[in-house]
Each structure stands twice: as structure tokens, then as C-alpha cells.
Amino acid sequence: MKHFFNRKDSIVTEALDGFLATAGSGTLARLDGYPEIKVVLRADWNKTKVSIVSGGGAGHEPSHAGFVGAGMLTAAVSGEIFASPSVEAVLAAIRATTGPAGCLLIVKNYTGDRLNFGLAAEKARAEGFSVEMVIVADDIALPDIAQPRGVAGTLFVHKIAGHLSESGHDLAIIAAAACAAAKDIVSLGISLSSCSIPGQAHEDRFGADDGELGLGIHGEPGVERIALEAASKLVAIMAERFAARLDPHSRYALLINNLGSVPPLEMSLIANAVLSSSLARAVALTIGPGHLMTALNMNGFSLSLFRLDTDREAALSAPVGPHAWLPAKPVRQPVVVAVAKPASRDAAKTAGRDADVERLITAICEKLISLEEPLNSLDAKAGDGDTGSTVATGARSVLDRADTLPLADRGATLATIGDILGTSMGGSSGVLLSIFFTAAAQSLKGGAPLGKALLAGLDRMTFYGGAKVGDRTMVDALEPALKAFDANGLEAAATAARRGAKATAAMRKAKAGRSAYIGRQLDIADPGAFAVGEVFAAVAAMFAPA
């Protein structure tokens, strides 16, 4: 795996300084003492309230420094990547933030953290500080283990303790509430990859079609290997594991945590899967989805559930200073607004049957669907590899609506196809083809013959799209094909289309379309032009004399 860094031994200190330089609020600072002491703390802290201190190894960003601020942590102590901070670093944080009100340490249940934070607490007490420590052990991946790990559910304890401190409660009340909260949190993670550490050799233990359930936030192996399935099925597996640990009569807050490299699109899909699963009945508040406690670049997510009462709900909903904390939100079903209908409907767009037209449209759509993989393969060499899928999506949409097409009216049929493609295909291809069919329909309605109408559609498409023959786009095949069709018929159009498509392979540099954005020369046909050539050839074959 490749990473961005300067020197392995300075990754964490440079990252913390970058975080502080861009935090922007002016309310954060760090203690002197790099590299041994890596402590981020509130610059506006006056020690009149209970300080809330947490931390652990780096690599879990935005945890822990990202949660320092009003209403959450007073200080965060960082170790090296996945390594507990030293006793002296924790003790420095306690000394810097603790006044007569005392200090609460919130520690994830890992041996190194327990020992280093624990010894720091003992030393601080010997110096006269009032210090309490709460250990969070929320991971349920290994149900029979004596010491469950502390994972993303720890953030709930940060929020509860930080809120109570900000509200002026004493150390005993805050420690008791934090301890009770820790006992009411359950978490479980799932991932499709382990994580890699900058500067270290990495070998992923995962196969191409599997993942792990219950792996730790340091890349520790999960409790079991699972086959890669639909997101809804993976969430259902997790929901089943949670079910035995949840009170069926209680309401819960749900934290949806990105473990590192899951794209936002997939995280939102996961959120939908969770809130469509059996867990949804219990969930009243959501935090996320988002990066909250990561494991470097792990391609996975975790779910944490926290049993609510009135006080906890108020604490989770209270505003805080740190931007990394995502506000708790009540669960809401999506609001769906009805699509506005045109003010007037064209009476000609009522469905009508024409067997020949239906056969032609079906053949074209089926041809385009069969080209999905070849077109994607071509596009992957010159673009983002989705041309075939985009075109196939449009073709399937037309086929799905074939029964509603006004086939007896060619102009209305072209206009309706334009509407379908403009809605279903997306991207530039969809809107370009929608323009083409819509303009051709208008020309047909004006009395133009089919060949001239199609050329009118091409004229409007090239006017708005900007491409012309020689730019290495589908226009290189479509324009000569339509001109040949208008002048000499279908067989000539098919020959011209394939000749135009073949010519794009010799156009070493694209001047329009997505391929124009790449800086290297090309030696393959343009996917759009190739598709045009294949479609004209298929249609010509349909109508060739027996």
C-alpha cells in the first residue's frame, strides 16, 4: 500500500500540527514536549470544571484530538500509530487541565491504555489530584472474552461526560454517569480489508470475495471470515449479533462509523440498510454516518448502540465545539415530493401499437444491453469505465416502458424516448441523446422526413454538446451514418457508421468528451462511436433482403 508521509517517525507529530493549524477556532493548543508528549488540549480551559481526558494510539482520526473542545474532551493524549501514549504524556495532560474539580480519564479497554492511563492516574493522585478512570469495553465481537475491546462506542462516553462537565457537575456524578453509560453500549465492526500502516510492509489477509466480522480497530483479525454479500445481508448478520444484547423495551442511539476508506456513497447506503433492518425498531437517534473512530485506511464500518434515557438523549443532542462530532439526529423517513407534471400533456403521447417499430426499438435496446461489458472495457482505457453501463441503463429503461410508448406516432415515440433517456441515463450521454431525440421529434412533427428529422436532432445535439467530426466522440460515427441514411438508405448508413467508429481509433487525442481530459494518446475506438456502429449494423441486418 502507498501512503503520503515524510518520515515514519514524525507522522503523528506532523499530523497533529496540521490538525491544529487548520482547526481554525483558536480554542485548541498542544503541550510542549514533542515527540514524547503529544497532547492536544483546550486553550480556553480554566480548570474550574472537571477535566475530561482521553486518548490512545494515533491512526483513529478524528479520534481523539478531533473531539477536544467545549462539551466533549478537555484534552486528548496521543501515542504513535496504534500504540498507547506514555505514562508521562498522560500525566502531563492531567497536570495541564486539572484543578480542584478533578479529572476523569476515559480509556478504551486495551492493556497498554489501561496500564499507562492507570499508572498516570495513580501518580496524579499521589500529587494531590482527584482522578477517576472509566474503562469502555463495548465490542461484542468476542462474546466470551473476559476483556472486550473498547471501540467506537467510547465516543458516547466522551459526549456524556463532556456534557456533564460543561454543565458543572462534580467528579463523582460524572464518573458514575460515564461508568453507567459504558455498560450500556454495544459495538460491532465489519470490514472488507485490513488496514496498512505508513512505512510498514503490508500484506492483506483478505480474499477478493470475503471480509471479516468483528475485527478490531488496529486491524486485529475478526471473529469470523464472511463471504462478500449484499450490504443488506451483511447488516442483517450484524443485527442478529446485536439482538441478544439489546433490551427490546428500550430506545437506542446508533453511531454509524466509517473505519477509514468506505466512500460516502456506500456509507449512506449502509445507513439505509441499517435503518431498514430489524435494528431500526430500536433506534431513536443517529450519529453519522461518518469518520468518527477510524482504523487508518480500513475498508469497513462499525455500528454502536447506546441505550437511551431522557438525560442521555439530552446530553447527546447538546451542541459541542468540536466539528468532528456529528450532531445526533432523530430518525426520519425520507420526505418524497411528487414530481411536477407538465402544464399541458401532448395528446399524441397516448400509447399506440406498431409491431415493426416495436421490433426495431427492442432490437436496438437489446443490442446496446449486449454491448455493456465491451463498452465498459473500451471506456476503462480512456475514461472511467462506465459507458456500457450507462448506455445499457438507458436501453433497459426504454424496454421497461415499451408498453407505454406511442408507437403509432413516430414523433411522439422519439419525444418519449428522449424523455426516458434524459431521466434514466444521467451524465452527458443521457442528456445528449435526450436532446437528439427531442429535437428530432420536433422536426418530424413539423413535417420533415425521418432522415432529415434525425439530422436536425444531430444538429441540436452537436450545438449544445460542442463535439464535431474529428473530436473522437460518437459524433464521428453518428454524423456520417445519418447523412448516408438520408441520402442512400440503411445499408449505406451502417457502412458509414462503422467506418466512422473505426476512424476514431486513429485519432490519437480526443478533443471532446471525457477522453479529452486524459493526457496520453489513445489507440482504441471511442466507446460511443463503437456503439453507434454496432447498432446501425444490427438494424441494417434486420432489414436486409432475405
Side-chain angles (χ1 to χ4, degrees):
M1 299 290 289
K2 294 179 283 190
H3 298 272
F4 295 103
F5 67 101
N6 296 313
R7 301 193 323 273
K8 182 179 175 182
D9 62 355
S10 64
I11 292 173
V12 178
T13 55
E14 290 181 51
L16 286 175
D17 281 349
F19 165 70
L20 290 169
T22 56
S25 65
T27 60
L28 298 181
R30 71 167 174 86
L31 291 182
D32 194 10
Y34 273 175
E36 290 80 9
I37 294 175
K38 296 181 279 290
V39 175
V40 172
L41 70 162
R42 289 180 60 176
D44 59 350
W45 188 249
N46 60 16
K47 299 186 181 181
T48 59
K49 297 176 181 177
V50 174
S51 65
I52 310 298
V53 177
S54 189
H60 304 304
E61 289 70 23
S63 292
H64 301 83
F67 299 113
V68 175
M72 287 195 75
L73 299 180
T74 313
V77 192
S78 178
E80 293 300 318
I81 294 176
F82 294 167
S84 176
S86 68
V87 173
E88 285 305 312
V90 178
L91 188 55
I94 295 171
R95 290 172 180 151
T97 60
T98 306
C103 172
L104 177 67
L105 301 178
I106 300 174
V107 180
K108 297 187 299 300
N109 194 25
Y110 291 94
T111 302
D113 288 348
R114 289 177 68 123
L115 294 177
N116 285 289
F117 278 83
L119 181 52
E122 293 302 319
K123 289 190 172 187
R125 292 186 189 111
E127 293 180 14
F129 293 102
S130 296
V131 180
E132 296 292 340
M133 189 164 96
V134 172
I135 297 171
V136 185
D138 54 311
D139 186 18
I140 64 167
L142 303 166
D144 300 323
I145 193 172
Q147 296 290 344
R149 298 171 293 205
V151 287
T154 308
L155 302 181
F156 284 127
V157 185
H158 291 175
K159 187 67 171 70
I160 296 295
H163 172 72
L164 293 175
S165 170
E166 201 71 30
S167 303
H169 290 81
D170 64 30
L171 178 58
I173 289 175
I174 297 172
C179 185
K183 293 177 180 177
D184 281 340
I185 301 169
V186 287
S187 297
L188 185 62
I190 193 169
S191 186
L192 306 182
S193 77
S194 57
C195 54
S196 61
I197 298 176
Q200 291 187 17
H202 173 72
E203 183 175 345
D204 202 328
R205 63 179 180 269
F206 291 68
D209 299 312
D210 61 16
E212 283 184 356
L213 179 69
L215 70 176
I217 56 173
H218 308 102
E220 307 98 316
V223 64
E224 65 182 270
R225 189 68 60 92
I226 56 172
L228 179 60
E229 297 188 81
S232 58
K233 292 186 178 179
L234 296 178
V235 167
I237 293 171
M238 299 175 77
E240 183 181 351
R241 305 299 169 92
F242 278 120
R245 305 293 294 269
L246 301 181
D247 178 354
H249 305 294
S250 294
R251 300 162 65 250
Y252 287 82
L254 167 68
L255 187 149
I256 309 172
N257 175 51
N258 190 333
L259 283 167
S261 64
V262 183
L265 176 71
E266 294 178 33
M267 287 304 299
S268 292
L269 182 149
I270 289 163
N272 184 64
V274 176
L275 294 175
S276 301
S277 74
S278 60
L279 290 175
R281 295 190 297 268
V283 176
L285 291 178
T286 59
I287 294 94
H291 292 90
L292 291 151
M293 184 174 288
T294 63
L296 290 173
N297 57 354
M298 186 180 287
N299 184 23
F301 67 94
S302 65
L303 305 176
S304 299
L305 289 154
F306 177 33
R307 190 164 64 86
L308 292 173
D309 59 25
T310 302
D311 291 339
R312 289 173 178 177
E313 190 164 349
L316 292 179
S317 301
V320 296
H323 297 301
W325 176 255
L326 303 175
K329 305 170 292 293
V331 177
R332 295 279 187 269
Q333 292 301 314
V335 175
V336 179
V337 178
V339 176
K341 302 297 182 184
S344 61
R345 303 297 293 175
D346 189 344
K349 287 190 178 181
T350 55
R353 311 321 302 159
D354 184 308
D356 290 337
V357 174
E358 185 169 6
R359 186 165 66 96
L360 174 63
I361 291 172
T362 300
I364 292 173
C365 290
E366 288 178 347
K367 182 63 177 179
L368 290 172
I369 292 169
S370 75
L371 291 172
E372 180 171 3
E373 289 306 318
L375 291 178
N376 280 343
S377 180
L378 276 177
D379 191 38
K381 299 173 183 176
D384 56 1
D386 68 348
T387 293
S389 297
T390 300
V391 170
T393 295
R396 291 187 185 100
S397 296
V398 173
L399 280 182
D400 290 344
R401 296 166 175 79
D403 291 342
T404 67
L405 293 175
L407 299 175
D409 184 327
R410 290 184 177 182
T413 297
L414 291 180
T416 303
I417 291 174
D419 289 344
I420 293 170
L421 296 181
T423 302
S424 66
M425 279 184 69
S428 57
S429 298
V431 70
L432 285 171
L433 289 173
S434 183
I435 290 170
F436 171 75
F437 284 107
T438 301
Q442 291 298 317
S443 183
L444 268 181
K445 291 177 183 178
L450 180 60
K452 291 290 190 293
L454 293 176
L455 285 170
L458 175 68
D459 177 73
R460 291 294 82 195
M461 185 180 81
T462 55
F463 173 79
Y464 290 112
K468 59 185 184 298
V469 170
D471 286 349
R472 198 181 184 280
T473 69
M474 65 177 169
V475 173
D476 288 290
L478 188 58
E479 181 172 315
L482 293 180
K483 286 180 176 178
F485 174 71
D486 183 50
N488 300 306
L490 194 52
E491 186 174 346
T495 300
R498 281 197 155 168
R499 186 184 301 121
K502 185 177 180 180
T504 61
M507 298 174 189
R508 311 295 285 178
K509 188 73 175 68
K511 299 177 183 177
R514 191 183 298 275
S515 299
Y517 299 137
I518 67 173
R520 59 182 173 83
Q521 293 187 337
L522 303 163
D523 57 1
I524 55 171
D526 174 75
F530 179 80
V532 170
E534 293 299 301
V535 165
F536 269 94
V539 172
M542 280 183 63
F543 293 97

